[in-house]
Amino acid sequence: VYYGDEKEAISQIYQLDPKSDKLDLLLARAVNQYEQKFNYNGSQSIDDMDSSNSTNVSLRNLITSIADGHNTDKPWVWYMAAGYLYTLDSLYVKANSYYAKAEKNVPSDDLAKAQLKLLEILNKIGSTKHIGAKSENDILSDMNWLDGINTKPIPDLRYSDALAWLKQTISSKYKTQHELAKAECFYSSNLFYADKKNAENMKAFLNKPSKTPFEKLCVQLSAIQIGDIYEFQAIQLAFKDNPESAISLIKNDSASSFTLPANPFNGGIQDCHDCDQAASQKIKYSKLSFLQKLKELKDKIATGKDVYINSMLLANAYYNISHYGNDRAFYECKILGSGHYSPFAIDSIYRGMLTDMKLPAKYYRLALKASQNDEQKAKCHYMLAKCERNEWYNGNFYNNDKNEFKEDFTIPLSSLTEFKLLKQYPNTKFYKEAINECGYFEKYVTWN
């Protein structure tokens, strides 16, 4: 019974010895079990919890009855436990009555006092129906206290889950009140910024010159700061072929100096991120200097200067900052995320932007139009075939998350129309290199 049924074990041991030290251990296990009904995962608020479970209610009633007996070795622990279970069940008035009893019995050590204070804060915020100016002032010191534990930790106080829970609960209440910027400060969602209006409203809130003490706390707690939004918007503009506007935004963020791991202007037959990143680089580009180079290339193309070369460089650059290229680090940021092992790891709302091949294809076609010999034309057709391949996977595979673990998706080579055009140049050096290095092209030539 001791190991298999905490509720029954507590009941039997309590009858035998109310002051048994085993009761406190079983109480901790029982409370942890009670919490499981909420399936709390760090993203659920108190408002979303379901308290309908007769088994759990009977456990709460047992703990409450023992607390009411006032005869355990550590009565304040049982008062706090009973109060906490009432908080979890959204019975805030009942919870307060047990916290009041705990205050009269809690020992003077920092850990016990902090534990009680944490539970009272949970109850206070959970019971708040509307967060107005009065409520904000009321919970300001509580949230500052909790946030301060990060710099001055109280040994053995488990508070991180509670803090995450409180933030989500406050965020949920602000969403209900349509105060979305404050909601975002307490619990951030990168999908929030997909809406341009949300991003601008958040910038306005973070840049607000005269903030109340609570608004300052919001900014302090926010996972996304003003520079993160500027960086995100600059990246969006780069993917829209607008480096000019992106430059002015990214200058506002420290990420502008981040060094790209590979030369973004190189384009090879094979996509080998590790090879490109390991290669020696005469010029290293930051996010800012990369955007400035894009603008320079666009300006040269506009004046008709070396259109083939500059178009190829521009096309390579846009290819390489996509998920398929060697410098996807360009788009990695707090809002878009990082370390995407495949397009499936990218939030679907941003996946299209980060995998789209229209922009590199645009400039490869411009280079093709400006090409002056068969070598240049062969290379253009091959690079366009790479874009075709990626777009096929975008449209036929990565557009459905259910495909993530499927292995039977192989591109039909007939869909690579640029290979047919590349076959016109068998005498070129590039053709020979491509058929040597690219299995797709080698099979296409063999079968067609």
Side-chain angles (χ1 to χ4, degrees), residues 22-257:
K22 294 181 174 61
L23 283 173
D24 293 337
L25 171 62
L26 287 165
L27 175 63
R29 288 172 58 179
V31 169
N32 287 339
Q33 180 191 66
Y34 200 88
E35 290 175 313
Q36 298 311 306
K37 69 173 180 172
F38 302 119
N39 296 318
Y40 177 63
N41 60 7
S43 64
Q44 183 182 37
S45 74
I46 292 174
D47 297 336
D48 299 326
M49 294 183 170
D50 177 15
S51 61
S52 57
N53 188 307
S54 58
T55 302
N56 287 314
V57 170
S58 67
L59 177 60
R60 186 192 73 203
N61 290 342
L62 173 64
I63 291 172
T64 300
S65 67
I66 293 176
D68 290 340
H70 317 296
N71 59 348
T72 58
D73 186 48
K74 297 176 181 176
W76 68 89
V77 171
W78 292 82
Y79 296 142
M80 287 194 292
Y84 180 49
L85 299 189
Y86 278 119
T87 295
L88 292 178
D89 288 333
S90 302
L91 299 169
Y92 305 114
V93 175
K94 289 286 289 184
N96 271 332
S97 69
Y98 281 95
Y99 294 144
K101 292 177 182 179
E103 284 182 355
K104 296 176 182 177
N105 293 272
V106 70
S108 59
D109 68 273
D110 290 342
L111 178 59
K113 286 185 174 180
Q115 185 66 66
L116 177 57
K117 183 172 183 175
L118 177 59
L119 295 176
E120 289 176 324
I121 294 171
L122 283 168
N123 198 61
K124 179 194 293 186
I125 293 176
S127 64
T128 302
K129 300 298 182 186
H130 179 87
I131 303 180
K134 184 178 182 302
S135 300
E136 289 178 346
N137 289 330
D138 193 32
I139 64 177
L140 176 61
S141 62
D142 294 330
M143 294 305 297
N144 276 324
W145 174 76
L146 273 171
D147 192 48
I149 295 175
N150 287 321
T151 54
K152 293 183 179 180
I154 298 171
D156 298 323
L157 178 65
R158 295 168 59 193
Y159 72 96
S160 57
D161 280 353
L163 180 57
W165 188 5
L166 285 167
K167 286 180 177 179
Q168 174 62 1
T169 297
I170 293 171
S171 177
S172 177
K173 293 179 186 294
Y174 275 128
K175 282 180 183 175
T176 302
Q177 297 170 200
H178 305 291
E179 295 184 68
L180 300 185
K182 287 180 180 177
E184 168 63 15
C185 286
F186 280 92
Y187 187 77
S188 182
S189 167
N190 61 351
L191 303 183
F192 174 84
Y193 298 93
D195 185 325
K196 185 177 180 181
K197 183 179 177 182
N198 285 346
E200 291 303 321
N201 287 341
M202 191 64 179
K203 280 165 61 177
F205 180 78
L206 294 172
N207 276 332
K208 186 178 177 182
S210 299
K211 297 182 181 71
T212 67
F214 190 82
E215 288 171 338
K216 290 178 182 177
L217 172 68
C218 291
V219 174
Q220 179 182 319
L221 294 177
S222 179
I224 301 299
Q225 296 297 317
I226 191 70
D228 300 320
I229 304 175
Y230 283 128
E231 181 184 13
F232 167 69
Q233 291 180 323
I235 291 166
Q236 285 183 308
L237 288 166
F239 278 91
K240 291 178 180 176
D241 198 16
N242 189 355
E244 300 87 348
S245 299
I247 288 167
S248 62
L249 284 179
I250 208 162
K251 280 182 177 178
N252 291 295
D253 180 50
S254 59
S256 63
S257 60

